[in-house]
Amino acid sequence: TLIELLVVIAIIGILATVVIGSVNAARTKGADAAIKSNIQGIRTEAEIYYDTNQLYANGPAVTSCPPAATTTSFFGSTNSINAINSIDKQLNGSASTARTGMDCYANVNGWSMSARLKSDATKFFCVDSSGKTNAAATAGAVAPTAPTATNPTTGCQ
């Protein structure tokens, strides 16, 4: 009958809403995992660069996430740029030179990087040259500061 058909359609609608909500949550968690993985990959790239050059930046200090391979640090490597582009796509839908939601710093003595998590715009994931890995509730708590000669590990708080 018509009433039975309407009841079945209503039940299917409710189930579809629940499934779509679960899929969106899983997609967001997957984006967070991809962001963290790419940042960990950049950590590996930094250590390879350091082993080869005995420094993290060969030239001016890096004070933003670089848009091109001209950066004279490990951030300018193809692998680092690909990872930064991937993080940018997760956060902003496409890679651009704006790099919103990320902070990158490097000089001769150290480096640090943080990126906002997709699941919560108030949480950031941070890594630095001292080996610190940190996720915190506010950008100020984990946004890295530029390393200095006297304190090269001031990235993640």
Side-chain angles (χ1 to χ4, degrees):
T1 67
L2 183 58
I3 293 175
E4 291 171 333
L5 183 60
L6 291 173
V7 169
V8 168
I9 291 171
I11 291 171
I12 290 173
I14 291 169
L15 291 175
T17 302
V18 170
V19 169
I20 289 172
S22 297
V23 168
N24 285 338
R27 187 176 296 148
T28 302
K29 287 181 182 180
D32 284 351
I35 290 166
K36 291 177 181 181
S37 176
N38 281 311
I39 291 176
Q40 295 291 7
I42 289 171
R43 172 185 283 181
T44 302
E45 192 71 22
E47 296 311 317
I48 291 170
Y49 187 93
Y50 185 84
D51 284 345
T52 303
N53 301 293
Q54 302 307 305
L55 46 81
Y56 291 105
N58 186 15
V62 175
T63 58
S64 63
C65 293
T70 57
T71 303
T72 55
S73 74
F74 65 92
F75 281 121
S77 74
T78 301
N79 290 338
S80 291
I81 289 175
N82 288 341
I84 289 169
N85 284 338
S86 179
I87 293 168
D88 204 21
K89 286 178 186 175
Q90 294 293 334
L91 291 175
N92 305 308
S94 64
S96 68
T97 57
R99 308 286 191 221
T100 57
M102 286 183 270
D103 292 307
C104 300
Y105 295 96
N107 67 16
V108 172
N109 302 302
W111 67 276
S112 56
M113 179 178 182
S114 73
R116 178 176 45 85
L117 295 177
K118 183 79 171 181
S119 62
D120 186 344
T122 65
K123 292 188 179 177
F124 289 72
F125 184 72
C126 183
V127 297
D128 67 19
S129 54
S130 71
K132 290 180 188 174
T133 301
N134 195 3
T138 63
V142 297
T145 57
T148 64
T150 56
N151 187 2
T153 59
T154 59
C156 302
Q157 305 303 318

